[in-house]
Amino acid sequence: MSSDMNADEKPGMAIMISGTGSNMEAIISAAKRGSLSVRPVLVVSDNPDARGLKKAKSMGVKTLAVPYERGIPREETESAIIGAIKAERAEWIVLAGFMKLLTPRFVQAFRNRIVNIHPALLPAFPGAHAIRDAIEAKADITGVTVHMVDELMDHGTIIAREEVAILPGDTEETLAARIHAVEHRLYPRTLQQLFHEDF
Ligand code: GRF
């Protein structure tokens, strides 16, 4: 906990998304219900058209779109994000379908304060197509991983994992639906444990 936070105040959290934001919605809903003790202070997207941005606004959370422009160094774009997160005094950064790789400078600015969810049992199937890759590899089991973010993609200390069976005839869509259902339950629960050191 930072020194400028009251002991009885909930920690602030920024969520970073690129698309639908169904995990973001599950997390904000859990915070509203009180099962996740955190203040969602900001939702950031690299994609101004992300559906999740509208959803976040409708849930009363401040939003910020920061497009990554071609030819502009990523560090420069990230500076705007870092500035906004610090201005809102977010202690935690939760990646929920954020599709850009963070630079080492960003990771170092919030060391051990950035969390990600990945739709596979890491270290298996890292990358942007984890669900399709697991089906194509004819795996029987895949799942969901929640992990701390370090400088490498889909890498860092694993906090929670849950298996999801791949059924005969599964398509990317049918498997994704079951994986999402697990994510929406596992992510808020794991964040509650992490934010309040309840492991
Ligand atoms: C999730 O499957 C998550 O594991 C991955 O991106 C997807 C985001 O989905 N990192 P949504 O935007 O939360 O619906």
Side-chain angles (χ1 to χ4, degrees), residues 111-178:
R111 165 86 52 213
N112 289 327
R113 294 275 158 186
I114 314 173
V115 194
N116 184 41
I117 189 160
H118 183 76
L121 294 176
L122 290 173
F125 308 117
H129 305 290
I131 299 177
R132 188 197 310 165
D133 292 347
I135 292 175
E136 282 177 1
K138 303 202 183 321
D140 295 326
I141 296 206
T142 184
V144 175
T145 304
V146 180
H147 66 96
M148 301 306 299
V149 170
D150 66 13
E151 286 81 353
L152 305 176
M153 187 182 62
D154 297 329
H155 193 264
T157 306
I158 290 172
I159 316 170
R161 295 204 303 173
E162 188 167 322
E163 290 184 355
V164 176
I166 303 180
L167 305 176
D170 251 342
T171 62
E172 202 175 332
E173 288 70 33
T174 58
L175 180 56
R178 292 203 310 286

Coordinates of all heavy atoms in Angstrom, one line a residue, residues 111-178:
R111 N 6.3 -2.2 -11.4 CA 6.8 -3.5 -11.1 C 6.0 -4.3 -10.1 O 5.6 -3.7 -9.0 CB 8.3 -3.4 -10.7 CG 8.9 -4.5 -10.0 CD 9.5 -5.6 -11.0 NE 10.5 -5.1 -11.9 CZ 10.6 -5.6 -13.2 NH1 9.9 -6.7 -13.5 NH2 11.5 -5.2 -14.0
N112 N 5.6 -5.5 -10.4 CA 4.7 -6.3 -9.5 C 3.4 -5.7 -9.2 O 2.7 -6.1 -8.2 CB 5.5 -6.6 -8.2 CG 6.6 -7.6 -8.4 OD1 6.5 -8.5 -9.3 ND2 7.7 -7.4 -7.7
R113 N 2.9 -4.8 -10.1 CA 1.6 -4.2 -9.9 C 0.7 -4.4 -11.1 O -0.3 -3.8 -11.2 CB 1.8 -2.7 -9.6 CG 2.5 -2.4 -8.4 CD 1.4 -2.4 -7.2 NE 2.0 -2.6 -6.0 CZ 1.4 -2.8 -4.8 NH1 0.0 -2.7 -4.9 NH2 2.0 -2.9 -3.7
I114 N 1.2 -5.2 -12.1 CA 0.5 -5.4 -13.3 C 0.1 -6.9 -13.4 O 1.0 -7.8 -13.3 CB 1.3 -5.0 -14.6 CG1 2.0 -3.6 -14.4 CG2 0.4 -5.0 -15.8 CD1 3.0 -3.3 -15.5
V115 N -1.2 -7.1 -13.7 CA -1.7 -8.5 -13.8 C -2.3 -8.7 -15.1 O -2.8 -7.8 -15.8 CB -2.8 -8.7 -12.7 CG1 -3.1 -10.2 -12.5 CG2 -2.4 -8.1 -11.4
N116 N -2.2 -10.0 -15.6 CA -2.8 -10.3 -16.9 C -3.6 -11.6 -16.8 O -3.3 -12.5 -16.0 CB -1.7 -10.4 -18.0 CG -2.3 -10.7 -19.4 OD1 -3.3 -10.1 -19.8 ND2 -1.6 -11.6 -20.1
I117 N -4.5 -11.8 -17.7 CA -5.2 -13.1 -17.8 C -5.0 -13.6 -19.3 O -5.0 -12.8 -20.2 CB -6.7 -13.0 -17.5 CG1 -7.4 -14.4 -17.4 CG2 -7.5 -12.1 -18.5 CD1 -8.7 -14.4 -16.7
H118 N -4.7 -14.9 -19.3 CA -4.4 -15.5 -20.7 C -5.3 -16.8 -20.8 O -5.4 -17.6 -19.9 CB -2.9 -15.9 -20.7 CG -2.5 -16.4 -22.0 ND1 -2.4 -15.6 -23.1 CD2 -2.3 -17.7 -22.4 CE1 -2.0 -16.4 -24.2 NE2 -2.0 -17.6 -23.8
P119 N -5.9 -16.9 -22.1 CA -6.8 -18.0 -22.3 C -6.1 -19.4 -22.6 O -6.4 -20.0 -23.6 CB -7.7 -17.5 -23.4 CG -6.8 -16.7 -24.2 CD -5.8 -16.0 -23.2
A120 N -5.2 -19.8 -21.8 CA -4.5 -21.1 -22.0 C -3.8 -21.4 -20.6 O -3.7 -20.5 -19.8 CB -3.5 -21.1 -23.1
L121 N -3.3 -22.6 -20.5 CA -2.5 -22.9 -19.3 C -1.1 -22.6 -19.6 O -0.3 -23.5 -20.1 CB -2.7 -24.4 -19.0 CG -4.1 -24.9 -18.5 CD1 -4.1 -26.4 -18.3 CD2 -4.6 -24.2 -17.3
L122 N -0.7 -21.4 -19.3 CA 0.7 -21.0 -19.5 C 1.6 -21.9 -18.7 O 1.3 -22.4 -17.6 CB 1.0 -19.5 -19.1 CG 0.3 -18.5 -20.0 CD1 0.4 -17.1 -19.5 CD2 0.9 -18.6 -21.5
P123 N 2.8 -22.3 -19.2 CA 3.5 -21.7 -20.3 C 3.0 -22.3 -21.7 O 3.6 -21.9 -22.7 CB 5.0 -22.1 -20.1 CG 4.9 -23.3 -19.3 CD 3.7 -23.2 -18.4
A124 N 2.0 -23.2 -21.7 CA 1.5 -23.7 -23.0 C 0.7 -22.6 -23.7 O 0.0 -21.8 -23.1 CB 0.6 -24.9 -22.8
F125 N 0.9 -22.6 -25.0 CA 0.1 -21.7 -25.9 C 0.1 -20.2 -25.5 O -0.9 -19.6 -25.3 CB -1.3 -22.2 -26.0 CG -1.4 -23.6 -26.4 CD1 -2.0 -24.6 -25.5 CD2 -0.9 -24.1 -27.6 CE1 -2.0 -25.9 -25.9 CE2 -0.9 -25.4 -28.0 CZ -1.5 -26.3 -27.1
P126 N 1.3 -19.6 -25.5 CA 1.3 -18.1 -25.3 C 0.9 -17.5 -26.6 O 0.7 -18.1 -27.6 CB 2.8 -17.8 -25.0 CG 3.5 -18.9 -25.7 CD 2.6 -20.1 -25.6
G127 N 0.7 -16.1 -26.6 CA 0.4 -15.4 -27.9 C -1.0 -15.1 -28.1 O -1.9 -15.4 -27.2
A128 N -1.3 -14.5 -29.2 CA -2.6 -13.9 -29.4 C -3.7 -14.9 -29.9 O -4.9 -14.5 -30.0 CB -2.5 -12.8 -30.5
H129 N -3.3 -16.1 -30.2 CA -4.3 -17.1 -30.7 C -4.3 -18.4 -29.9 O -4.3 -19.5 -30.4 CB -3.9 -17.4 -32.2 CG -3.9 -16.2 -33.1 ND1 -5.0 -15.4 -33.3 CD2 -2.8 -15.5 -33.6 CE1 -4.6 -14.4 -34.1 NE2 -3.3 -14.4 -34.2
A130 N -4.2 -18.2 -28.6 CA -4.0 -19.3 -27.7 C -5.2 -20.4 -27.8 O -4.9 -21.6 -27.7 CB -4.0 -18.8 -26.3
I131 N -6.4 -19.9 -28.0 CA -7.5 -20.9 -28.1 C -7.4 -21.7 -29.4 O -7.5 -22.9 -29.3 CB -8.9 -20.1 -27.9 CG1 -8.9 -19.4 -26.6 CG2 -10.1 -21.1 -28.1 CD1 -10.1 -18.5 -26.3
R132 N -7.2 -21.0 -30.5 CA -7.1 -21.7 -31.8 C -5.9 -22.6 -31.7 O -5.9 -23.8 -32.2 CB -6.9 -20.6 -32.9 CG -6.9 -21.2 -34.3 CD -6.3 -20.3 -35.3 NE -6.9 -19.0 -35.2 CZ -6.3 -17.9 -35.8 NH1 -5.2 -18.0 -36.4 NH2 -6.9 -16.7 -35.7
D133 N -4.8 -22.2 -31.2 CA -3.5 -23.0 -31.1 C -3.8 -24.3 -30.3 O -3.3 -25.3 -30.7 CB -2.4 -22.2 -30.5 CG -1.9 -21.0 -31.4 OD1 -2.3 -21.0 -32.6 OD2 -1.2 -20.1 -30.9
A134 N -4.5 -24.2 -29.2 CA -4.8 -25.4 -28.4 C -5.6 -26.4 -29.2 O -5.3 -27.6 -29.1 CB -5.5 -25.0 -27.1
I135 N -6.6 -25.9 -29.9 CA -7.4 -26.8 -30.8 C -6.6 -27.5 -31.9 O -6.6 -28.7 -32.1 CB -8.6 -26.1 -31.3 CG1 -9.6 -25.7 -30.2 CG2 -9.4 -26.9 -32.4 CD1 -10.8 -24.8 -30.7
E136 N -5.8 -26.6 -32.5 CA -5.0 -27.1 -33.6 C -3.9 -28.1 -33.2 O -3.6 -29.0 -33.9 CB -4.3 -26.0 -34.4 CG -5.4 -25.3 -35.3 CD -4.9 -24.1 -36.1 OE1 -3.7 -23.7 -35.9 OE2 -5.6 -23.5 -36.8
A137 N -3.5 -28.0 -31.9 CA -2.5 -28.9 -31.4 C -3.1 -30.2 -30.9 O -2.5 -31.1 -30.4 CB -1.7 -28.2 -30.2
K138 N -4.5 -30.3 -31.0 CA -5.3 -31.4 -30.6 C -5.0 -31.7 -29.1 O -5.0 -32.9 -28.7 CB -4.9 -32.7 -31.4 CG -5.2 -32.4 -32.9 CD -5.4 -33.7 -33.7 CE -5.6 -33.5 -35.2 NZ -6.4 -32.4 -35.6
A139 N -4.9 -30.7 -28.3 CA -4.8 -30.9 -26.9 C -6.1 -31.3 -26.3 O -7.2 -31.0 -26.9 CB -4.4 -29.5 -26.2
D140 N -6.1 -32.1 -25.2 CA -7.4 -32.5 -24.5 C -7.8 -31.4 -23.5 O -9.0 -31.3 -23.2 CB -7.1 -33.8 -23.7 CG -6.8 -34.9 -24.7 OD1 -7.3 -34.9 -25.8 OD2 -6.0 -35.8 -24.3
I141 N -6.8 -30.7 -23.0 CA -7.1 -29.8 -21.9 C -6.4 -28.5 -22.2 O -5.2 -28.5 -22.6 CB -6.6 -30.4 -20.6 CG1 -7.3 -31.6 -20.3 CG2 -6.7 -29.3 -19.5 CD1 -7.5 -32.0 -18.9
T142 N -7.1 -27.4 -22.0 CA -6.4 -26.1 -22.0 C -6.9 -25.4 -20.7 O -7.2 -26.0 -19.8 CB -6.7 -25.3 -23.3 OG1 -6.0 -24.1 -23.3 CG2 -8.2 -25.0 -23.6
G143 N -7.1 -24.0 -20.8 CA -7.6 -23.4 -19.5 C -7.3 -21.9 -19.5 O -7.2 -21.3 -20.6
V144 N -7.1 -21.4 -18.3 CA -7.0 -20.0 -18.1 C -5.9 -19.8 -17.1 O -5.7 -20.6 -16.1 CB -8.3 -19.4 -17.5 CG1 -8.1 -18.0 -17.1 CG2 -9.5 -19.6 -18.4
T145 N -5.0 -18.8 -17.3 CA -4.0 -18.4 -16.4 C -4.0 -17.0 -16.0 O -4.2 -16.1 -16.9 CB -2.6 -18.7 -17.0 OG1 -2.5 -20.0 -17.5 CG2 -1.4 -18.4 -16.1
V146 N -3.9 -16.7 -14.7 CA -3.7 -15.3 -14.3 C -2.3 -15.2 -13.8 O -1.8 -16.0 -13.0 CB -4.7 -15.0 -13.1 CG1 -4.5 -13.5 -12.6 CG2 -6.2 -15.2 -13.5
H147 N -1.6 -14.2 -14.3 CA -0.2 -14.1 -13.9 C 0.3 -12.6 -13.8 O -0.4 -11.7 -14.3 CB 0.7 -14.8 -15.0 CG 0.6 -14.1 -16.3 ND1 1.6 -13.3 -16.8 CD2 -0.3 -14.2 -17.4 CE1 1.3 -12.8 -18.0 NE2 0.2 -13.4 -18.4
M148 N 1.4 -12.4 -13.0 CA 2.0 -11.1 -12.9 C 2.7 -10.8 -14.3 O 3.1 -11.8 -15.0 CB 3.0 -11.0 -11.8 CG 2.5 -11.3 -10.4 SD 1.1 -10.4 -9.9 CE 1.8 -8.7 -10.0
V149 N 2.7 -9.6 -14.7 CA 3.3 -9.2 -16.0 C 4.8 -8.8 -15.8 O 5.1 -8.0 -14.9 CB 2.5 -8.0 -16.6 CG1 3.2 -7.5 -17.8 CG2 1.1 -8.5 -17.0
D150 N 5.7 -9.4 -16.6 CA 7.1 -9.0 -16.6 C 7.4 -8.5 -18.0 O 6.4 -8.2 -18.8 CB 8.0 -10.0 -16.1 CG 8.1 -11.3 -16.9 OD1 7.6 -11.2 -18.1 OD2 8.6 -12.3 -16.5
E151 N 8.7 -8.4 -18.4 CA 9.0 -7.8 -19.6 C 8.7 -8.7 -20.8 O 8.7 -8.3 -22.0 CB 10.5 -7.4 -19.6 CG 10.8 -6.2 -18.8 CD 11.0 -6.5 -17.3 OE1 10.7 -7.6 -16.9 OE2 11.4 -5.5 -16.6
L152 N 8.5 -10.0 -20.6 CA 8.2 -10.9 -21.7 C 6.7 -11.1 -21.9 O 5.9 -11.0 -21.0 CB 8.9 -12.2 -21.4 CG 10.4 -12.1 -21.2 CD1 11.0 -13.5 -20.8 CD2 11.2 -11.6 -22.4
M153 N 6.4 -11.6 -23.1 CA 5.0 -11.7 -23.5 C 4.4 -13.0 -22.8 O 5.0 -14.1 -22.9 CB 4.8 -11.9 -25.0 CG 3.3 -11.9 -25.4 SD 3.1 -12.1 -27.2 CE 3.9 -13.7 -27.4
D154 N 3.2 -12.8 -22.1 CA 2.5 -14.0 -21.5 C 3.5 -14.7 -20.6 O 3.5 -16.0 -20.6 CB 1.9 -14.9 -22.5 CG 0.8 -14.1 -23.3 OD1 0.2 -13.2 -22.8 OD2 0.7 -14.5 -24.5
H155 N 4.2 -14.0 -19.7 CA 5.3 -14.5 -18.9 C 5.2 -13.8 -17.6 O 4.7 -12.7 -17.5 CB 6.6 -14.2 -19.6 CG 7.8 -15.0 -19.0 ND1 8.6 -14.4 -18.1 CD2 8.2 -16.2 -19.3 CE1 9.5 -15.3 -17.8 NE2 9.4 -16.4 -18.5
G156 N 5.7 -14.4 -16.5 CA 5.7 -13.8 -15.2 C 5.1 -14.7 -14.2 O 4.4 -15.7 -14.6
T157 N 5.2 -14.5 -12.9 CA 4.8 -15.4 -11.9 C 3.3 -15.7 -12.1 O 2.5 -14.8 -12.2 CB 5.0 -14.8 -10.5 OG1 6.4 -14.4 -10.4 CG2 4.6 -15.7 -9.4
I158 N 3.0 -17.0 -12.1 CA 1.6 -17.5 -12.2 C 0.9 -17.4 -10.8 O 1.5 -17.9 -9.8 CB 1.6 -18.9 -12.8 CG1 2.0 -18.8 -14.3 CG2 0.2 -19.5 -12.7 CD1 2.2 -20.2 -15.0
I159 N -0.3 -16.8 -10.8 CA -1.0 -16.7 -9.6 C -2.1 -17.7 -9.5 O -2.5 -18.2 -8.4 CB -1.6 -15.2 -9.5 CG1 -0.6 -14.2 -9.9 CG2 -2.1 -15.0 -8.0 CD1 -1.3 -12.8 -10.0
A160 N -2.8 -17.9 -10.6 CA -3.9 -18.9 -10.6 C -4.0 -19.5 -12.0 O -3.8 -18.9 -13.0 CB -5.2 -18.2 -10.2
R161 N -4.4 -20.8 -12.0 CA -4.7 -21.5 -13.3 C -5.9 -22.4 -13.1 O -6.1 -22.9 -12.0 CB -3.6 -22.4 -13.7 CG -2.3 -21.6 -14.0 CD -1.4 -22.3 -15.0 NE -1.0 -23.6 -14.5 CZ -0.3 -24.5 -15.2 NH1 0.1 -24.2 -16.4 NH2 0.0 -25.7 -14.7
E162 N -6.7 -22.5 -14.1 CA -7.9 -23.4 -14.0 C -8.0 -24.1 -15.4 O -7.9 -23.5 -16.4 CB -9.2 -22.6 -13.7 CG -10.3 -23.6 -13.4 CD -11.5 -22.9 -12.8 OE1 -11.4 -22.0 -11.9 OE2 -12.7 -23.2 -13.2
E163 N -8.2 -25.4 -15.3 CA -8.3 -26.2 -16.5 C -9.7 -26.1 -17.2 O -10.7 -26.0 -16.5 CB -8.1 -27.7 -16.2 CG -6.6 -28.0 -15.8 CD -6.4 -29.5 -15.6 OE1 -7.4 -30.3 -15.6 OE2 -5.2 -29.8 -15.3
V164 N -9.7 -26.2 -18.5 CA -10.9 -26.3 -19.3 C -10.7 -27.4 -20.3 O -9.7 -27.4 -21.0 CB -11.3 -25.0 -20.0 CG1 -12.5 -25.1 -20.9 CG2 -11.4 -23.8 -19.0
A165 N -11.6 -28.4 -20.3 CA -11.5 -29.5 -21.2 C -11.8 -29.1 -22.6 O -12.7 -28.3 -22.9 CB -12.4 -30.7 -20.8
I166 N -11.1 -29.6 -23.6 CA -11.4 -29.4 -25.0 C -12.2 -30.6 -25.4 O -11.8 -31.8 -25.3 CB -10.1 -29.3 -25.9 CG1 -9.3 -28.1 -25.4 CG2 -10.5 -29.0 -27.4 CD1 -8.0 -27.8 -26.2
L167 N -13.5 -30.3 -25.9 CA -14.4 -31.4 -26.2 C -14.3 -31.8 -27.7 O -14.0 -30.9 -28.5 CB -15.8 -31.0 -25.8 CG -16.0 -30.5 -24.3 CD1 -17.4 -30.1 -24.1 CD2 -15.6 -31.7 -23.4
P168 N -14.6 -33.1 -28.0 CA -14.7 -33.4 -29.4 C -15.6 -32.5 -30.2 O -16.7 -32.2 -29.7 CB -15.2 -34.9 -29.4 CG -15.1 -35.4 -28.0 CD -15.1 -34.2 -27.1
G169 N -15.2 -32.0 -31.3 CA -16.1 -31.1 -32.1 C -16.0 -29.6 -31.7 O -16.7 -28.8 -32.3
D170 N -15.2 -29.3 -30.6 CA -15.1 -27.9 -30.2 C -14.6 -27.1 -31.4 O -13.7 -27.5 -32.1 CB -14.1 -27.8 -29.0 CG -14.8 -27.5 -27.7 OD1 -16.0 -27.0 -27.8 OD2 -14.2 -27.7 -26.7
T171 N -15.2 -25.9 -31.5 CA -14.7 -24.9 -32.5 C -14.0 -23.8 -31.6 O -14.2 -23.8 -30.4 CB -15.8 -24.2 -33.3 OG1 -16.7 -23.6 -32.4 CG2 -16.5 -25.3 -34.1
E172 N -13.3 -22.9 -32.2 CA -12.7 -21.8 -31.5 C -13.9 -21.0 -30.7 O -13.6 -20.7 -29.5 CB -12.1 -20.8 -32.5 CG -11.0 -20.0 -31.8 CD -10.2 -19.1 -32.8 OE1 -10.1 -19.5 -34.0 OE2 -9.8 -18.0 -32.3
E173 N -15.0 -20.9 -31.3 CA -16.1 -20.2 -30.6 C -16.7 -20.9 -29.4 O -16.9 -20.3 -28.4 CB -17.3 -19.9 -31.6 CG -17.0 -18.9 -32.7 CD -16.0 -19.4 -33.7 OE1 -16.0 -20.6 -34.0 OE2 -15.2 -18.5 -34.2
T174 N -16.9 -22.2 -29.6 CA -17.5 -23.0 -28.5 C -16.5 -23.1 -27.3 O -16.9 -22.9 -26.1 CB -18.0 -24.4 -28.9 OG1 -16.8 -25.1 -29.4 CG2 -19.1 -24.4 -29.9
L175 N -15.3 -23.3 -27.6 CA -14.3 -23.4 -26.5 C -14.1 -22.0 -25.9 O -14.0 -21.9 -24.7 CB -12.9 -23.9 -27.1 CG -11.8 -24.0 -26.1 CD1 -12.2 -24.9 -24.9 CD2 -10.5 -24.6 -26.8
A176 N -14.0 -20.9 -26.7 CA -13.9 -19.6 -26.2 C -15.0 -19.3 -25.2 O -14.8 -18.6 -24.1 CB -13.8 -18.6 -27.3
A177 N -16.2 -19.7 -25.5 CA -17.3 -19.4 -24.6 C -17.1 -20.0 -23.2 O -17.4 -19.4 -22.2 CB -18.6 -19.9 -25.2
R178 N -16.6 -21.3 -23.2 CA -16.4 -21.9 -21.9 C -15.2 -21.3 -21.2 O -15.2 -21.2 -20.0 CB -16.2 -23.5 -22.1 CG -17.5 -24.2 -22.6 CD -17.5 -25.6 -22.2 NE -16.3 -26.3 -22.6 CZ -16.0 -26.6 -23.9 NH1 -16.8 -26.3 -24.9 NH2 -14.9 -27.3 -24.2

